[in-house]
Amino acid sequence: MPGEVLPSASEQATYWNRCQHNSWFFLAWHRMYLHIFEEIVAAEVLALGGPADWALPYWNYSKSQGERRLPRSFSKPTDATGATNPLFVAQRSTEANGGMQADAADVDLSALKIPNYSIPVNNPGKAFCGAETGFHHSGGSVKGIDAVPHGNMHGFVGGQFGWMSAFRTAALDPVFWVHHANIDRLWEVWLKRNAAHANPANPLWRTGVQFAFRDAAGTAVQFASEDVVSTVVLGFQYDDVSDPLPAGLGVEESVAMKSPELLGATEDRIRIGGGSKSASVPTVQVAGATVESLGGSDEPSQVHLRLENITSNQRAPAFDVYVGVNEGVAPSAHQSKFAGRIAMFGLTEASEPAGPNAGSGLSYDLDVTEAVKTLRTQPGWDPGKLNVLFVPVHEEQEAEVYVGRISVFAA
Amino acid sequence: MLPVLQRIDNERPEWWALLFSAFAWFGMALHMVPLQVGPHAHHPAQFPSAMTQWLQWQAMIVAMMLPFLLWQIRRVAAGTFRYRRHLAVSCLIVGFLGVWAVAGLFAVMVSSIWSIGGPVAVGLLLVASAGWCLTPWYCRATYAHHSTRPLPPKGWHAVVRTVQEGARLGQACIVSCGPLMLACLASGHSVVVMLGGLVLTWRERTAFEPRPRGQARWHLVLAAVATVTLWTV
C-alpha cells in the first residue's frame, strides 16, 4: 500500500521469498503457510465476534464440472447489498472472473496415482510432490501435484497477468488460500488412498531445513516438515479425503526412471508463444533403446519429454504440449497425442539472472509413452524425429518464451 | 567391463571425478610442504617455488572443489548420449579447473611477490573471507552454483558449450570461495585450514541458499582456529 512502512531488510531476508516450489518441500512449506495464515485470520474472526472454530475452506475444483468455475463468492464484484466484495479481485483472468470453467487438463488428479513422494534431482521420472532439493524457492523441475492442478489453477485464475500467476502477488488474491487449502487436502488424499503412499523418511526432508514465520501474536516461529506432517497435531482435519479417482484409474504408475537414456535433444533453444510453435527433436538409437522399440518385449517401457530451461522476462500463458502434431494442424483433433499442459507460474522469477536459481528457468517432464505408442501405429511415423507442438492457452498478449532444450528420454 | 562396474558407471558417471579428488587429498597429505612460520621456527618463512605452489593450488582445488561439482557432473552426464558421457564430464571439469588454474596463477603470483604466509596472514585472509560472505556478489555466486544452462547433446557445439558451462560454474566458485582458497594457499595448504574450508563450503553448498551471516561467523571461527593452530604447530 502507498505509504506503508515495509519491514526491515533483515526481516525481509528472513521471511520474504521463502515459499518452496519445484521441490519436495512444496507441500510442507505451504501447509506451514496455511496454518499460520489460518491462525492469524481465526484470531481476527474471533476478535470480531465470529465463531471460535473458524477454519479455511478449500476449493475442490476437481469434484465436478460445475466446481471448476471460480466460486461466486470470489467472482462477484459486489455482494447482495451492493457493497464491494472483498474476495473479488480484478487482477484475474477474464475467463475466471467471467464464470468460465477451468479445463479438465487444469484440474487433472493423475498426480494422486504416483506412488513416490519425491525423486532425485535430474531424474526425468515422476514424483507426487517434487525433486529432493535443499531449500528451493523457484526454478527447477515442476512435477506431480505442484504442476497439476497447482500450477495450472494458478494460471487459470491469474491468466497471463493476474496476481495468481506470479509468486510475489499470488497470495494477494483470496483465491490463493482456498486453492492451496485444496492442494493441502490432496496431500492427505494421496496418503490415505494407498497404504504404500508415505512421506519421505529422509532426515533432510523431515528436519533438515527450518522455515521461519511469524504467528498470530507476531512471535517468530520455525517449522520443519516433520512438524506439519500431521494435520491432527496442527488442530484440523479435512472433511473429505475420499479417493476422487474413478474405479480403475487407481492403478499405480511407474515412478523414477531407472538409468534414463537420452534418445535425442534439440541443439538450440526454441522460441514459443505468439501462437502455436513446433520443434523437431531428432531421436537416435542408443544401446538398443529407440522410440521405435517402445512397447515391445524389450525396454524401454517409458518415454519422457523433458522441457528444460524455460525462460522469459515476460509473463506468459500456459502451453498445451503435443507430440507428433505439426504447426497449423488443429490440435483438438489429436487428443491422443496430448502430452500435457505446462503452467508458466513463477516463470519470470525463475528467469531472473540475479534470482535464486540464477536464471535457469523452469523445467517440465512429461510422460509421452502412450502418445508415442499411438504415433507408432499411424502412417508416416518417423522414428528418427519427434515433433513437439506448443499451443498457448488463452494468450492475452504475445509472449516471448524460450525453451532451452527439448529432450526425449527412455527407460 | 564387469556388470557391477558397468552399473556404477551408468548410475554414477561422476565416480572418476570423486576418485580424482580423493587422489588429490592423498597427494596433498603426502607432499604437503609445511611452512616454518610459527614462533618456534628457526628460519624466516620458507616458500616453495611458484610452479610448485601453483601445482599444489590446482591439487587443492581438485581436492576441495571438485566434490561440489558432482551434482552438475551428474546432470551433464545424464543430458547426453551414453557413448559420450565421459567426454561431456571431462569437458565440464576442464572448463571448471581451467578458470581455477588462471585464478591460481594470480594467487601464486601475489602470494610470492608479497610473501603472504603465516598464522597472522591466514587469520586476516579468513577474516576478509568472512566479510566477503556479506557482499551481494557472494550471494549471487552461491545461487549460481546450482544453476543450469541448456547444452547441446552432441557434436563440437556440445564440447565447446560444456567447457563454457564448466568455466561459468568455476567462475561462480571462485567468486564465492576464492578468498577462502587464498587463505588455504597462505597456510601452506595446512590440512586443518583445508578441512575447515571444506566443511564451510559443504555447509554453503548443501544449504542451496546463501546464509551470509552464519557463513561469516563460521569463517571467523575458522580464522581463530587456524591462527592458533598454525601458531602452535
Side-chain angles (χ1 to χ4, degrees):
Chain A
M1 300 289 286
E4 187 180 356
V5 178
L6 294 176
S8 67
S10 163
E11 286 275 302
Q12 290 183 25
T14 309
Y15 301 108
W16 287 18
N17 298 321
R18 310 299 289 168
C19 54
Q20 299 293 291
H21 292 99
N22 316 331
S23 157
W24 60 349
F25 293 119
F26 164 66
L27 288 169
W29 186 90
H30 282 85
R31 178 170 285 175
M32 297 167 200
Y33 195 37
L34 287 172
H35 173 62
I36 289 288
F37 178 76
E38 188 176 59
E39 199 178 272
I40 292 167
V41 178
E44 197 63 28
V45 166
L46 194 62
L48 293 170
D53 61 348
W54 181 87
L56 262 176
Y58 59 86
W59 176 20
N60 187 358
Y61 29 70
S62 306
K63 193 173 182 180
S64 66
Q65 280 208 7
E67 297 287 342
R68 288 192 218 157
R69 286 194 184 90
L70 189 64
R72 284 177 64 77
S73 50
F74 290 89
S75 62
K76 284 175 66 180
T78 54
D79 65 16
T81 64
T84 304
N85 176 10
L87 299 179
F88 173 80
V89 163
Q91 290 85 353
R92 290 188 190 131
S93 73
T94 48
E95 287 82 10
N97 266 346
M100 197 174 136
Q101 286 178 2
D103 292 337
D106 291 323
V107 299
D108 183 65
L109 293 180
S110 296
L112 293 175
K113 293 188 280 180
I114 304 170
N116 51 312
Y117 185 91
S118 59
I119 195 167
V121 173
N122 278 334
N123 190 304
K126 297 177 186 180
F128 170 65
C129 183
E132 293 157 6
T133 67
F135 178 95
H136 203 269
H137 174 57
S138 77
S141 188
V142 196
K143 290 181 183 287
I145 195 168
D146 193 350
V148 188
H150 167 253
N152 285 9
M153 286 306 284
H154 267 279
F156 167 71
V157 175
Q160 198 170 337
F161 299 103
W163 283 348
M164 274 283 275
S165 294
F167 282 4
R168 293 190 183 112
T169 53
L172 293 173
D173 189 331
V175 174
F176 172 90
W177 303 100
V178 293
H179 168 42
H180 267 280
N182 190 49
I183 296 295
D184 189 63
R185 185 186 66 87
L186 290 171
W187 183 10
E188 288 299 294
V189 170
W190 179 78
L191 285 168
K192 297 270 187 311
R193 77 180 299 262
N194 190 308
H197 290 183
N199 292 322
N202 190 326
L204 175 62
W205 183 80
R206 300 195 83 86
T207 55
V209 183
Q210 298 275 328
F211 299 101
F213 295 87
R214 284 200 182 272
D215 65 14
T219 309
V221 288
Q222 287 206 324
F223 295 105
S225 302
E226 192 164 71
D227 301 324
V228 297
V229 290
S230 166
T231 62
V232 176
V233 170
L234 293 175
F236 71 95
Q237 279 180 288
Y238 288 106
D239 62 347
D240 183 4
V241 288
S242 59
D243 192 348
L245 296 178
L249 281 181
V251 180
E252 301 302 305
E253 294 187 343
S254 50
V255 286
M257 294 181 90
K258 282 204 168 175
S259 302
E261 190 82 51
L262 180 73
L263 291 187
T266 50
E267 293 274 333
D268 293 305
R269 66 180 190 169
I270 314 294
R271 194 206 148 169
I272 60 173
S276 299
K277 297 276 164 56
S278 72
S280 184
V281 185
T283 57
V284 297
Q285 178 167 342
V286 181
T290 66
V291 173
E292 185 61 24
S293 66
L294 179 71
S297 55
D298 301 328
E299 295 287 348
S301 58
Q302 292 180 66
V303 178
H304 282 224
L305 193 67
R306 172 166 271 196
L307 311 169
E308 288 174 83
N309 301 104
I310 305 171
T311 56
S312 180
N313 56 11
Q314 301 168 350
R315 302 275 287 273
F319 290 88
D320 280 344
V321 183
Y322 295 82
V323 290
V325 182
N326 294 320
E327 234 171 282
V329 176
S332 53
H334 296 278
Q335 281 311 306
S336 60
K337 298 171 193 170
F338 180 61
R341 176 169 292 181
I342 56 172
M344 295 294 116
F345 179 52
L347 176 67
T348 51
E349 292 90 339
S351 307
E352 290 169 0
N357 71 342
S360 303
L362 299 172
S363 293
Y364 276 91
D365 293 297
L366 303 175
D367 185 348
V368 293
T369 311
E370 292 306 315
V372 171
K373 278 181 183 172
T374 303
L375 278 175
R376 288 181 59 232
T377 62
Q378 299 192 340
W381 158 245
D382 179 359
K385 67 171 185 177
L386 193 65
N387 212 46
V388 183
L389 180 70
F390 296 87
V391 183
V393 182
H394 304 305
E395 190 172 30
E396 296 167 42
Q397 189 177 306
E398 182 173 329
E400 196 173 316
V401 180
Y402 292 94
V403 182
R405 184 173 118 150
I406 306 172
S407 316
V408 180
F409 284 93
Chain B
M1 196 188 285
L2 289 171
V4 65
L5 293 179
Q6 187 136 29
R7 207 184 73 223
I8 291 171
D9 192 49
N10 284 346
E11 294 176 7
R12 298 280 172 193
E14 72 277 14
W15 65 268
W16 60 267
L18 204 55
L19 204 62
F20 196 24
S21 175
F23 276 131
W25 273 106
F26 187 65
M28 294 293 293
L30 276 185
H31 300 288
M32 196 172 52
V33 182
L35 293 180
Q36 301 289 309
V37 291
H40 312 297
H42 301 292
H43 308 287
Q46 293 170 356
F47 288 89
S49 71
M51 175 55 87
T52 306
Q53 280 197 71
W54 183 74
L55 289 173
Q56 286 180 332
W57 166 274
Q58 276 305 95
M60 178 179 73
I61 299 305
V62 171
M64 291 178 70
M65 295 290 115
L66 209 50
F68 299 110
L69 194 67
L70 295 184
W71 179 84
Q72 294 282 6
I73 290 174
R74 268 200 295 274
R75 176 183 75 86
V76 166
T80 192
F81 297 107
R82 186 183 296 271
Y83 72 86
R84 64 181 301 282
R85 274 184 186 168
H86 293 302
L87 170 64
V89 171
S90 306
C91 291
L92 189 79
I93 291 175
V94 163
F96 182 80
L97 293 181
V99 291
W100 269 112
V102 175
L105 285 177
F106 283 103
V108 168
M109 206 162 64
V110 169
S111 164
S112 301
I113 291 170
W114 283 292
S115 301
I116 297 172
V120 175
V122 172
L124 288 175
L125 278 168
L126 285 168
V127 169
S129 182
W132 181 250
C133 292
L134 302 172
T135 66
W137 300 289
Y138 168 80
C139 289
R140 197 176 282 197
T142 307
Y143 284 136
H145 295 315
H146 304 286
S147 66
T148 63
R149 296 290 178 269
L151 298 172
K154 61 184 170 67
W156 277 108
H157 283 310
V159 169
V160 172
R161 279 174 50 190
T162 309
V163 171
Q164 286 174 339
E165 176 73 346
R168 183 183 72 83
L169 295 167
Q171 278 171 30
C173 203
I174 289 169
V175 172
S176 67
C177 301
L180 183 66
M181 292 294 107
L182 274 178
C184 291
L185 176 71
S187 75
H189 307 284
S190 150
V191 170
V192 171
V193 181
M194 282 174 60
L195 283 175
L198 187 75
V199 171
L200 289 191
T201 311
W202 177 84
R203 187 177 176 278
E204 171 205 273
R205 300 298 170 90
T206 52
F208 273 73
E209 61 164 345
R211 294 185 293 190
R213 287 183 182 181
Q215 199 66 0
R217 269 196 294 273
W218 282 108
H219 273 76
L220 292 177
V221 170
L222 182 60
V225 171
T227 307
V228 170
T229 307
L230 292 173
W231 196 269
T232 51
V233 170

